[in-house]
Amino acid sequence: MINNASLLTQEQVERTHAASLEILENVGVLVRNEKARQIFKQHGCQEEDGQVIHFPAGVVEKYRAMLPPTFTFYGRELKYDRTLPQDGPVLVTGSSAPDIINPVTGKVRRATSADIARIAHLIHELPAYDIFSISTLAEDAPLGQFTLARLYPSLKHCLKPIRSTTKDMEDAASIMQLLYALAGSQEAYHARPFVTHHYCPVVSPLTMDQLSTEAMIYFCEKELPVYPSIVPNAGLTSPMSMAGTLAQGNAEFLAISVLMQMVHEGTPTIYATLPTVADMRTGAYASGGIECGMLHMAFAQMAHFYHVPCGGYIGLSNSKVNDAQSGFETGMSSMAGILAGVDMLNMGGLLDALKVFDFAKAVIDDEIGQMLKRTKRGILFNEEELALKVVSQVKPGGSFMMNPHTAKRMRSEALLPRLADREAREVWEKKGALDTHARAMQRVHEILSNSNNDLIPADVDERLHQQFKGLVSGNLVKP
């Protein structure tokens, strides 16, 4: 393990917390959901100025002290479970891109449920990914099945934990019926809830929306895994200063976390963020900016102060293709997060500021994820690893290649990448002189050509299609 890096002093962390309490008590939060307002008022908050809730510092402190220190993502099988922070960092795909780069033509088009089936299979097979957050929308979703058309093909081809959202409460009810049917019963699903729900209920600046807040309350009441993300954009929806964005974003996290504890004490959550600083030349959403990584470092320090797991959308890129920009934007901010102790990285597969999924990018990010996990593992340091006896055996001018010390560690000490090229130029040229993108696409087609078979039993699959008329096939079809 590594010692966490920090951007803030302990005094600055404490001042940020105090500033957030000032914001919540003096400025308040606009809460559009009536049920949420009632919950807040029943637990000591005050409503003023029409739907604006003010939070006394004592109330915030009482309920934030209830935040559990861990959060578990459940898979369909025990071996896929991941609990934060001890199993971190976990690698998660980016989610909900409307478009996809066609893996055959290389052209951008709208994503469909068939694409989701392919992505789910890809993520199931790639080793660094821990959680599949459904990467795209589904243009072919039947009327009234917005989320069903995304979740069903995901579950059909991936046993790892799934992260999903819902459109409204009617949509949520349909999703729960699907999950209960797949698990065998409501009781069986609640014993192993293999879908984690995720929302952005706080719209910066300081506004709780209607539908996402309602969904957060619903899943907290049901004691099912759910967590929020806070998404301040400095210069547009939060102060242009990173310190100001940190204080406001932290206040927004505290507000929704307090609500979760008021609904059900001890509800696990993640301090999840997607903080950015807008490019004020154009107003562009700069999710690939290094400031995103810096803000993640600062938010991680706040999460550690509250003793809750943390992470979010980090390692993103504004690039439209897998080029140097996509590499350095993903690499620099995600490494910043790892060094700061981030437990979860939503970074896989997206380009163009979260708007486009690319299969090759997902494979490249898998290898970056392996590098990040290797970094987190750190340097094993003890007397045996110092190898003083080995050095004395080999002596000046000798070789360590055939030493048993080397043989014992040759497959574990260093990451052995599959995608990165380390061969001599002549060998590389004889193999076609392929760049990283081309090699990644070879890996994509290799995986998509080898089906893992449907992961939903045939009889259950048939019942699901009888229960949900018009449900997409979810079949894995080679592109």
Side-chain angles (χ1 to χ4, degrees), residues 146-167:
F146 176 81
T147 304
L148 283 171
R150 303 174 64 217
L151 185 56
Y152 170 68
S154 302
L155 292 165
K156 197 168 184 178
H157 299 286
C158 186
L159 293 175
K160 295 177 180 180
I162 305 292
R163 195 194 79 164
S164 184
T165 186
T166 52
K167 182 179 179 182

PDB file of all heavy atoms in Angstrom, residues 146-167:
ATOM      1  N   PHE A 146     -37.082   2.227 -20.845  1.00  0.00           N
ATOM      2  CA  PHE A 146     -35.840   2.992 -20.990  1.00  0.00           C
ATOM      3  C   PHE A 146     -34.670   2.309 -20.292  1.00  0.00           C
ATOM      4  O   PHE A 146     -33.591   2.145 -20.858  1.00  0.00           O
ATOM      5  CB  PHE A 146     -36.047   4.406 -20.417  1.00  0.00           C
ATOM      6  CG  PHE A 146     -34.800   5.256 -20.419  1.00  0.00           C
ATOM      7  CD1 PHE A 146     -34.399   5.913 -21.574  1.00  0.00           C
ATOM      8  CD2 PHE A 146     -34.040   5.413 -19.259  1.00  0.00           C
ATOM      9  CE1 PHE A 146     -33.255   6.703 -21.583  1.00  0.00           C
ATOM     10  CE2 PHE A 146     -32.901   6.198 -19.262  1.00  0.00           C
ATOM     11  CZ  PHE A 146     -32.509   6.839 -20.424  1.00  0.00           C
ATOM     12  N   THR A 147     -34.871   1.906 -19.045  1.00  0.00           N
ATOM     13  CA  THR A 147     -33.790   1.268 -18.292  1.00  0.00           C
ATOM     14  C   THR A 147     -33.767  -0.245 -18.498  1.00  0.00           C
ATOM     15  O   THR A 147     -32.693  -0.855 -18.521  1.00  0.00           O
ATOM     16  CB  THR A 147     -33.913   1.594 -16.797  1.00  0.00           C
ATOM     17  OG1 THR A 147     -33.920   3.023 -16.630  1.00  0.00           O
ATOM     18  CG2 THR A 147     -32.744   1.033 -16.006  1.00  0.00           C
ATOM     19  N   LEU A 148     -34.922  -0.867 -18.656  1.00  0.00           N
ATOM     20  CA  LEU A 148     -34.966  -2.312 -18.914  1.00  0.00           C
ATOM     21  C   LEU A 148     -34.115  -2.684 -20.119  1.00  0.00           C
ATOM     22  O   LEU A 148     -33.407  -3.696 -20.107  1.00  0.00           O
ATOM     23  CB  LEU A 148     -36.406  -2.767 -19.149  1.00  0.00           C
ATOM     24  CG  LEU A 148     -37.302  -2.925 -17.917  1.00  0.00           C
ATOM     25  CD1 LEU A 148     -38.738  -3.169 -18.345  1.00  0.00           C
ATOM     26  CD2 LEU A 148     -36.809  -4.053 -17.031  1.00  0.00           C
ATOM     27  N   ALA A 149     -34.176  -1.861 -21.175  1.00  0.00           N
ATOM     28  CA  ALA A 149     -33.442  -2.145 -22.406  1.00  0.00           C
ATOM     29  C   ALA A 149     -31.938  -2.007 -22.227  1.00  0.00           C
ATOM     30  O   ALA A 149     -31.162  -2.501 -23.054  1.00  0.00           O
ATOM     31  CB  ALA A 149     -33.916  -1.224 -23.530  1.00  0.00           C
ATOM     32  N   ARG A 150     -31.515  -1.370 -21.155  1.00  0.00           N
ATOM     33  CA  ARG A 150     -30.088  -1.246 -20.842  1.00  0.00           C
ATOM     34  C   ARG A 150     -29.650  -2.288 -19.824  1.00  0.00           C
ATOM     35  O   ARG A 150     -28.593  -2.905 -19.953  1.00  0.00           O
ATOM     36  CB  ARG A 150     -29.798   0.154 -20.302  1.00  0.00           C
ATOM     37  CG  ARG A 150     -30.199   1.294 -21.239  1.00  0.00           C
ATOM     38  CD  ARG A 150     -30.011   2.646 -20.577  1.00  0.00           C
ATOM     39  NE  ARG A 150     -28.608   2.890 -20.284  1.00  0.00           N
ATOM     40  CZ  ARG A 150     -28.168   3.518 -19.201  1.00  0.00           C
ATOM     41  NH1 ARG A 150     -29.021   3.931 -18.279  1.00  0.00           N
ATOM     42  NH2 ARG A 150     -26.878   3.725 -19.027  1.00  0.00           N
ATOM     43  N   LEU A 151     -30.476  -2.487 -18.808  1.00  0.00           N
ATOM     44  CA  LEU A 151     -30.089  -3.374 -17.713  1.00  0.00           C
ATOM     45  C   LEU A 151     -30.145  -4.840 -18.110  1.00  0.00           C
ATOM     46  O   LEU A 151     -29.268  -5.634 -17.739  1.00  0.00           O
ATOM     47  CB  LEU A 151     -30.990  -3.108 -16.508  1.00  0.00           C
ATOM     48  CG  LEU A 151     -30.647  -3.857 -15.219  1.00  0.00           C
ATOM     49  CD1 LEU A 151     -29.222  -3.579 -14.791  1.00  0.00           C
ATOM     50  CD2 LEU A 151     -31.625  -3.459 -14.111  1.00  0.00           C
ATOM     51  N   TYR A 152     -31.168  -5.223 -18.870  1.00  0.00           N
ATOM     52  CA  TYR A 152     -31.336  -6.631 -19.227  1.00  0.00           C
ATOM     53  C   TYR A 152     -30.143  -7.196 -20.012  1.00  0.00           C
ATOM     54  O   TYR A 152     -29.577  -8.225 -19.620  1.00  0.00           O
ATOM     55  CB  TYR A 152     -32.646  -6.825 -19.991  1.00  0.00           C
ATOM     56  CG  TYR A 152     -32.796  -8.189 -20.602  1.00  0.00           C
ATOM     57  CD1 TYR A 152     -32.961  -9.319 -19.799  1.00  0.00           C
ATOM     58  CD2 TYR A 152     -32.752  -8.353 -21.973  1.00  0.00           C
ATOM     59  CE1 TYR A 152     -33.091 -10.577 -20.367  1.00  0.00           C
ATOM     60  CE2 TYR A 152     -32.872  -9.602 -22.551  1.00  0.00           C
ATOM     61  CZ  TYR A 152     -33.045 -10.711 -21.738  1.00  0.00           C
ATOM     62  OH  TYR A 152     -33.153 -11.955 -22.302  1.00  0.00           O
ATOM     63  N   PRO A 153     -29.702  -6.558 -21.111  1.00  0.00           N
ATOM     64  CA  PRO A 153     -28.524  -7.099 -21.798  1.00  0.00           C
ATOM     65  C   PRO A 153     -27.255  -7.053 -20.953  1.00  0.00           C
ATOM     66  O   PRO A 153     -26.353  -7.872 -21.125  1.00  0.00           O
ATOM     67  CB  PRO A 153     -28.393  -6.233 -23.055  1.00  0.00           C
ATOM     68  CG  PRO A 153     -29.239  -5.047 -22.833  1.00  0.00           C
ATOM     69  CD  PRO A 153     -30.290  -5.433 -21.853  1.00  0.00           C
ATOM     70  N   SER A 154     -27.178  -6.123 -20.019  1.00  0.00           N
ATOM     71  CA  SER A 154     -26.026  -6.060 -19.123  1.00  0.00           C
ATOM     72  C   SER A 154     -25.973  -7.293 -18.233  1.00  0.00           C
ATOM     73  O   SER A 154     -24.933  -7.939 -18.069  1.00  0.00           O
ATOM     74  CB  SER A 154     -26.093  -4.801 -18.259  1.00  0.00           C
ATOM     75  OG  SER A 154     -26.138  -3.634 -19.043  1.00  0.00           O
ATOM     76  N   LEU A 155     -27.131  -7.637 -17.655  1.00  0.00           N
ATOM     77  CA  LEU A 155     -27.204  -8.797 -16.771  1.00  0.00           C
ATOM     78  C   LEU A 155     -27.048 -10.106 -17.533  1.00  0.00           C
ATOM     79  O   LEU A 155     -26.593 -11.108 -16.976  1.00  0.00           O
ATOM     80  CB  LEU A 155     -28.545  -8.784 -16.033  1.00  0.00           C
ATOM     81  CG  LEU A 155     -28.723  -7.660 -15.006  1.00  0.00           C
ATOM     82  CD1 LEU A 155     -30.184  -7.519 -14.613  1.00  0.00           C
ATOM     83  CD2 LEU A 155     -27.868  -7.917 -13.776  1.00  0.00           C
ATOM     84  N   LYS A 156     -27.393 -10.095 -18.791  1.00  0.00           N
ATOM     85  CA  LYS A 156     -27.321 -11.313 -19.603  1.00  0.00           C
ATOM     86  C   LYS A 156     -25.883 -11.686 -19.943  1.00  0.00           C
ATOM     87  O   LYS A 156     -25.598 -12.846 -20.275  1.00  0.00           O
ATOM     88  CB  LYS A 156     -28.141 -11.126 -20.880  1.00  0.00           C
ATOM     89  CG  LYS A 156     -28.493 -12.409 -21.613  1.00  0.00           C
ATOM     90  CD  LYS A 156     -29.533 -12.162 -22.686  1.00  0.00           C
ATOM     91  CE  LYS A 156     -29.943 -13.467 -23.349  1.00  0.00           C
ATOM     92  NZ  LYS A 156     -31.003 -13.261 -24.364  1.00  0.00           N
ATOM     93  N   HIS A 157     -24.958 -10.708 -19.844  1.00  0.00           N
ATOM     94  CA  HIS A 157     -23.598 -10.973 -20.307  1.00  0.00           C
ATOM     95  C   HIS A 157     -22.517 -10.553 -19.325  1.00  0.00           C
ATOM     96  O   HIS A 157     -21.347 -10.567 -19.671  1.00  0.00           O
ATOM     97  CB  HIS A 157     -23.378 -10.286 -21.658  1.00  0.00           C
ATOM     98  CG  HIS A 157     -24.313 -10.783 -22.716  1.00  0.00           C
ATOM     99  ND1 HIS A 157     -24.176 -12.016 -23.300  1.00  0.00           N
ATOM    100  CD2 HIS A 157     -25.431 -10.224 -23.250  1.00  0.00           C
ATOM    101  CE1 HIS A 157     -25.148 -12.198 -24.174  1.00  0.00           C
ATOM    102  NE2 HIS A 157     -25.932 -11.135 -24.160  1.00  0.00           N
ATOM    103  N   CYS A 158     -22.895 -10.191 -18.091  1.00  0.00           N
ATOM    104  CA  CYS A 158     -21.881  -9.795 -17.108  1.00  0.00           C
ATOM    105  C   CYS A 158     -22.325 -10.207 -15.713  1.00  0.00           C
ATOM    106  O   CYS A 158     -23.435  -9.855 -15.284  1.00  0.00           O
ATOM    107  CB  CYS A 158     -21.652  -8.282 -17.168  1.00  0.00           C
ATOM    108  SG  CYS A 158     -20.295  -7.708 -16.124  1.00  0.00           S
ATOM    109  N   LEU A 159     -21.455 -10.947 -15.018  1.00  0.00           N
ATOM    110  CA  LEU A 159     -21.738 -11.377 -13.649  1.00  0.00           C
ATOM    111  C   LEU A 159     -21.156 -10.433 -12.604  1.00  0.00           C
ATOM    112  O   LEU A 159     -21.452 -10.562 -11.420  1.00  0.00           O
ATOM    113  CB  LEU A 159     -21.179 -12.785 -13.408  1.00  0.00           C
ATOM    114  CG  LEU A 159     -21.838 -13.929 -14.172  1.00  0.00           C
ATOM    115  CD1 LEU A 159     -21.098 -15.231 -13.908  1.00  0.00           C
ATOM    116  CD2 LEU A 159     -23.310 -14.071 -13.791  1.00  0.00           C
ATOM    117  N   LYS A 160     -20.338  -9.512 -13.047  1.00  0.00           N
ATOM    118  CA  LYS A 160     -19.772  -8.539 -12.122  1.00  0.00           C
ATOM    119  C   LYS A 160     -20.872  -7.597 -11.621  1.00  0.00           C
ATOM    120  O   LYS A 160     -21.963  -7.534 -12.215  1.00  0.00           O
ATOM    121  CB  LYS A 160     -18.668  -7.741 -12.818  1.00  0.00           C
ATOM    122  CG  LYS A 160     -17.460  -8.589 -13.211  1.00  0.00           C
ATOM    123  CD  LYS A 160     -16.416  -7.779 -13.976  1.00  0.00           C
ATOM    124  CE  LYS A 160     -15.221  -8.646 -14.364  1.00  0.00           C
ATOM    125  NZ  LYS A 160     -14.188  -7.901 -15.114  1.00  0.00           N
ATOM    126  N   PRO A 161     -20.625  -6.867 -10.527  1.00  0.00           N
ATOM    127  CA  PRO A 161     -21.636  -5.911 -10.060  1.00  0.00           C
ATOM    128  C   PRO A 161     -22.017  -4.934 -11.169  1.00  0.00           C
ATOM    129  O   PRO A 161     -21.163  -4.472 -11.930  1.00  0.00           O
ATOM    130  CB  PRO A 161     -20.931  -5.184  -8.908  1.00  0.00           C
ATOM    131  CG  PRO A 161     -19.883  -6.150  -8.436  1.00  0.00           C
ATOM    132  CD  PRO A 161     -19.430  -6.877  -9.661  1.00  0.00           C
ATOM    133  N   ILE A 162     -23.306  -4.646 -11.247  1.00  0.00           N
ATOM    134  CA  ILE A 162     -23.832  -3.701 -12.237  1.00  0.00           C
ATOM    135  C   ILE A 162     -24.237  -2.424 -11.511  1.00  0.00           C
ATOM    136  O   ILE A 162     -24.846  -2.471 -10.441  1.00  0.00           O
ATOM    137  CB  ILE A 162     -25.056  -4.280 -12.969  1.00  0.00           C
ATOM    138  CG1 ILE A 162     -24.731  -5.638 -13.605  1.00  0.00           C
ATOM    139  CG2 ILE A 162     -25.572  -3.292 -14.012  1.00  0.00           C
ATOM    140  CD1 ILE A 162     -23.759  -5.595 -14.741  1.00  0.00           C
ATOM    141  N   ARG A 163     -23.900  -1.289 -12.109  1.00  0.00           N
ATOM    142  CA  ARG A 163     -24.374  -0.010 -11.584  1.00  0.00           C
ATOM    143  C   ARG A 163     -25.347   0.581 -12.583  1.00  0.00           C
ATOM    144  O   ARG A 163     -25.057   0.648 -13.787  1.00  0.00           O
ATOM    145  CB  ARG A 163     -23.217   0.958 -11.344  1.00  0.00           C
ATOM    146  CG  ARG A 163     -23.609   2.143 -10.461  1.00  0.00           C
ATOM    147  CD  ARG A 163     -22.580   3.253 -10.502  1.00  0.00           C
ATOM    148  NE  ARG A 163     -22.723   4.054 -11.708  1.00  0.00           N
ATOM    149  CZ  ARG A 163     -22.176   5.256 -11.886  1.00  0.00           C
ATOM    150  NH1 ARG A 163     -21.446   5.783 -10.942  1.00  0.00           N
ATOM    151  NH2 ARG A 163     -22.339   5.934 -13.007  1.00  0.00           N
ATOM    152  N   SER A 164     -26.513   0.999 -12.096  1.00  0.00           N
ATOM    153  CA  SER A 164     -27.552   1.491 -12.997  1.00  0.00           C
ATOM    154  C   SER A 164     -28.281   2.661 -12.364  1.00  0.00           C
ATOM    155  O   SER A 164     -28.117   2.968 -11.177  1.00  0.00           O
ATOM    156  CB  SER A 164     -28.536   0.359 -13.325  1.00  0.00           C
ATOM    157  OG  SER A 164     -29.504   0.773 -14.274  1.00  0.00           O
ATOM    158  N   THR A 165     -29.095   3.292 -13.163  1.00  0.00           N
ATOM    159  CA  THR A 165     -29.942   4.377 -12.701  1.00  0.00           C
ATOM    160  C   THR A 165     -31.362   4.094 -13.178  1.00  0.00           C
ATOM    161  O   THR A 165     -31.617   3.073 -13.821  1.00  0.00           O
ATOM    162  CB  THR A 165     -29.438   5.732 -13.222  1.00  0.00           C
ATOM    163  OG1 THR A 165     -30.210   6.787 -12.636  1.00  0.00           O
ATOM    164  CG2 THR A 165     -29.533   5.822 -14.736  1.00  0.00           C
ATOM    165  N   THR A 166     -32.290   4.946 -12.853  1.00  0.00           N
ATOM    166  CA  THR A 166     -33.660   4.810 -13.343  1.00  0.00           C
ATOM    167  C   THR A 166     -34.182   6.183 -13.755  1.00  0.00           C
ATOM    168  O   THR A 166     -33.689   7.217 -13.301  1.00  0.00           O
ATOM    169  CB  THR A 166     -34.591   4.217 -12.271  1.00  0.00           C
ATOM    170  OG1 THR A 166     -34.461   4.960 -11.050  1.00  0.00           O
ATOM    171  CG2 THR A 166     -34.256   2.755 -12.007  1.00  0.00           C
ATOM    172  N   LYS A 167     -35.188   6.163 -14.588  1.00  0.00           N
ATOM    173  CA  LYS A 167     -35.747   7.403 -15.141  1.00  0.00           C
ATOM    174  C   LYS A 167     -36.727   8.057 -14.174  1.00  0.00           C
ATOM    175  O   LYS A 167     -36.720   9.267 -13.976  1.00  0.00           O
ATOM    176  CB  LYS A 167     -36.425   7.091 -16.470  1.00  0.00           C
ATOM    177  CG  LYS A 167     -37.004   8.278 -17.200  1.00  0.00           C
ATOM    178  CD  LYS A 167     -37.637   7.837 -18.510  1.00  0.00           C
ATOM    179  CE  LYS A 167     -38.259   9.010 -19.256  1.00  0.00           C
ATOM    180  NZ  LYS A 167     -38.921   8.559 -20.511  1.00  0.00           N
TER     181      LYS A 167
END
